[in-house]
């Protein structure tokens, strides 16, 4: 097929958001009795799942302190559950295991999960929490834990397999996915800010609507559209902050312990939930017993046959490089700068051993190949889903992306003219209005 010079909808990014948007747009056109062929094009400069979606750990959870995020994730979990085989989705559940400093936050999450009908169990108290965990893992030994929130829904999906499953759904409806095409800029209409064409390394594509679902590359598309690099933010106390960078980057710390994934099965031989632990108990090295930290720390982990071991991560750290100087490419494990550190490996494996005796002495099994990547975050670390320049919809996921399979479908409905209540709390104007999302006591910026 020749390179197109026109499409009704041009979607940038062949990851979780771009492909889910294309899938839903195609469904809507078919519902209207219209042909899809030639109307919806997905562009990616590399390939399907070549960005953040392709290296995501794949966790799917509802565990958010922010009501808007919790409602949005309940919707997305429903989409994951709609076709677990196609999405390579494992509905094993998710556990938030916490110290006393987080007790009130987690209790609130549990209460509001019950209010929206999201099935979960809440265990309170140190003894009850230890007993509950040992009923699942007989070697559980984490210290300082006073609550357990066990989400019965959620779990994880295999990253690249799920994205290819999503691409298959879109292509089956007539969506065209074109890889190896880099977007260089946008051409606006005379007398308006609307985008009339997308300028690529293979030529111009005229269009009626553009959707940007580019993960950490959102900074670059934001700049191409001449949107503000710095903004005014009104915080939850009403204080005005001028000249705040619209974007900031965080280094994501993840890795794999190369052991048989089956070593993490539960007492009754079943697949365990995804485990997330946040605690202020001192963490000591499993190598030499030295103190690693006596401040709040957090990890998550799961057995994963796709990764070939126990896969997970820890709290990210801020990238101090000026935002416009951050080199996003080459991305992920190919980056010479932004990969998980040796310090992460020591901390994470020691934390695994802190939680479960079966991981003691396993430091030599840590996979030493590069892993991790960077995420592009908004000023309050939560997504922006909004329309700019009249006909450009931007999905800025603020590194919450992979788990939010339903977001692209909601954005597609808005593109078709149906405003979505679930997306309203994530508009760009919340920064100037002071309608920011509340933050929890977690050491993770996205919880």
């Amino acid at each position: 097929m020749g390179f197109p010079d026109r499409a009704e909808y041009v979607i940038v990014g062949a990851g979780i958001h771009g492909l889910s948007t294309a899938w839903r747009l195609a469904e809507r056109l078919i519902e209207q009795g219209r042909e899809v062929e030639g109307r919806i094009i997905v562009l990616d400069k590399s390939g399907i799942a070549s960005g953040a979606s392709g290296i995501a750990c794949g966790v799917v959870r509802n565990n958010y302190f922010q009501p808007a995020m919790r409602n949005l994730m309940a919707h997305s979990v429903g989409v994951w559950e709609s076709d677990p085989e196609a999405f390579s989705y494992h509905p094993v559940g998710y556990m938030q295991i916490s110290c006393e400093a987080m007790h009130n936050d987690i209790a609130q999450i549990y209460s509001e999960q019950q209010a929206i009908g999201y099935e979960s169990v809440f265990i309170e108290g140190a003894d009850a929490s230890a007993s509950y965990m040992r009923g699942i893992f007989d070697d559980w030994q984490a210290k300082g834990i006073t609550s357990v929130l066990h989400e019965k829904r959620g779990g994880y999906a295999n990253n690249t397999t799920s994205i290819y499953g999503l691409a298959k759904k879109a292509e089956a409806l007539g969506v065209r996915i074109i890889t190896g095409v880099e977007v260089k800029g946008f051409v606006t209409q005379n007398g308006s800010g609307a985008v009339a064409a997308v300028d690529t390394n293979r030529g111009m594509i005229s269009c009626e609507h553009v959707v940007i679902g580019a993960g950490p590359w959102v900074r670059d598309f934001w700049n191409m559209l001449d949107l503000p690099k710095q903004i005014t933010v009104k915080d939850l106390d009403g204080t005005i902050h001028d000249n705040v960078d619209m974007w900031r980057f965080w280094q994501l710390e993840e890795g794999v312990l190369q052991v048989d994934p089956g070593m993490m099965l539960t007492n009754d031989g079943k697949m365990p939930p995804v485990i997330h632990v946040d605690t202020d108990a001192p963490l000591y090295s499993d190598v030499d017993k030295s103190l690693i930290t006596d401040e709040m720390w957090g990890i998550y982990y799961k057995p994963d046959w796709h990764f070939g071991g126990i896969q997970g991560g820890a709290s990210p750290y801020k990238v101090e490089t000026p935002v416009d100087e951050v080199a996003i490419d080459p991305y992920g494990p190919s980056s010479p700068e932004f990969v998980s550190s040796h310090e992460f490996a020591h901390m994470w494996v020691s934390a695994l051993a802190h939680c479960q005796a079966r991981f003691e002495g396993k430091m030599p099994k840590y996979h030493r190949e590069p892993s991790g990547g960077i995420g592009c975050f908004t000023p309050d670390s939560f997504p922006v889903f909004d329309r700019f320049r009249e006909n450009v919809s931007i999905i800025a996921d603020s590194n919450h992306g992979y788990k939010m399979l339903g977001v692209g479908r909601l954005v597609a409905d808005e593109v078709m003219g149906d405003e979505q209540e679930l997306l309203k709390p994530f508009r760009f104007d919340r920064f100037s209005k002071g309608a920011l999302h509340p933050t929890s006591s977690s050491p993770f910026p996205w919880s």
Side-chain angles (χ1 to χ4, degrees), residues 15 24 52 90 162 165 167 209 299-300 312 355 364 380 391 411 438:
R24 180 58 178 160
H90 307 279
S162 64
H209 203 106
I299 64 165
Y300 52 93
C355 294
D380 66 353
N391 65 340
V411 169

Side-chain angles (χ1 to χ4, degrees), residues 256-338:
V256 177
L257 192 65
Q258 289 186 304
V259 296
D260 178 4
M263 76 172 290
M264 202 183 149
L265 296 180
T266 61
N267 295 343
D268 55 2
K270 295 180 180 179
M271 284 281 289
V274 176
I275 302 297
H276 183 121
V277 177
D278 289 327
T279 182
D280 51 14
L283 177 61
Y284 294 95
S285 167
D286 190 52
V287 177
D288 59 15
K289 307 308 177 185
S290 62
L291 179 68
I292 294 177
T293 184
D294 57 3
E295 298 180 354
M296 178 86 81
W297 56 269
I299 64 165
Y300 52 93
Y301 60 103
K302 60 181 171 37
D304 197 317
W305 278 260
H306 179 72
F307 281 101
I310 306 301
Q311 190 274 343
S315 305
Y317 64 84
K318 291 181 180 179
V319 174
E320 300 297 341
T321 306
V323 64
D324 274 339
E325 297 176 20
V326 173
I328 305 173
D329 292 308
Y331 186 72
S334 300
S335 172
E337 184 177 7
F338 301 118

Side-chain angles (χ1 to χ4, degrees), residues 248 250 377-383 397-400 430-431 445-446:
R248 70 273 319 270
W250 288 66
F377 288 72
T378 65
D380 66 353
S381 295
F382 293 101
D397 62 28
S398 199
N399 206 65
H400 300 267
R430 73 173 184 269
F431 298 114
W446 50 66

